[in-house]
Amino acid sequence: TVILANDFMPVVPVITVAAETTLRWTIDGEFFQKTVSAGTWEIPELELWHGNNTVSITGEGITTFTYREGRL
């Protein structure tokens, strides 16, 4: 499980995974689950909101989230 901190405006992270990986997260009470193969992905449903955002990761290898924390 990772906690991704974000300030102010929503942002969609770019996710790079080394092997098949399952991501799970909840937004406004709605549960999401997405399994991706090795590579770089941008999942529009995984929009980070203000504050701490929690994502559970199941898979082998390294998972990297890249995003610029939104500030006006």
Side-chain angles (χ1 to χ4, degrees), residues 24-46:
R24 294 176 185 88
W25 68 96
T26 302
I27 298 176
D28 289 335
E30 188 174 352
F31 175 78
F32 294 88
Q33 178 174 310
K34 182 81 171 178
T35 300
V36 295
S37 57
T40 300
W41 301 91
E42 193 167 339
I43 304 169
E45 297 86 8
L46 181 52

Side-chain angles (χ1 to χ4, degrees), residues 1-2 4 23-34 44-57:
T1 300
V2 297
L4 304 171
L23 306 167
R24 294 176 185 88
W25 68 96
T26 302
I27 298 176
D28 289 335
E30 188 174 352
F31 175 78
F32 294 88
Q33 178 174 310
K34 182 81 171 178
E45 297 86 8
L46 181 52
E47 185 174 60
L48 305 179
W49 291 87
H50 172 73
N52 292 331
N53 299 265
T54 303
V55 179
S56 296
I57 303 168

Side-chain angles (χ1 to χ4, degrees), residues 3-30:
I3 297 174
L4 304 171
N6 186 46
D7 288 332
F8 302 110
M9 56 194 266
V11 64
V12 176
V14 174
I15 305 160
T16 303
V17 297
E20 184 173 287
T21 301
T22 300
L23 306 167
R24 294 176 185 88
W25 68 96
T26 302
I27 298 176
D28 289 335
E30 188 174 352

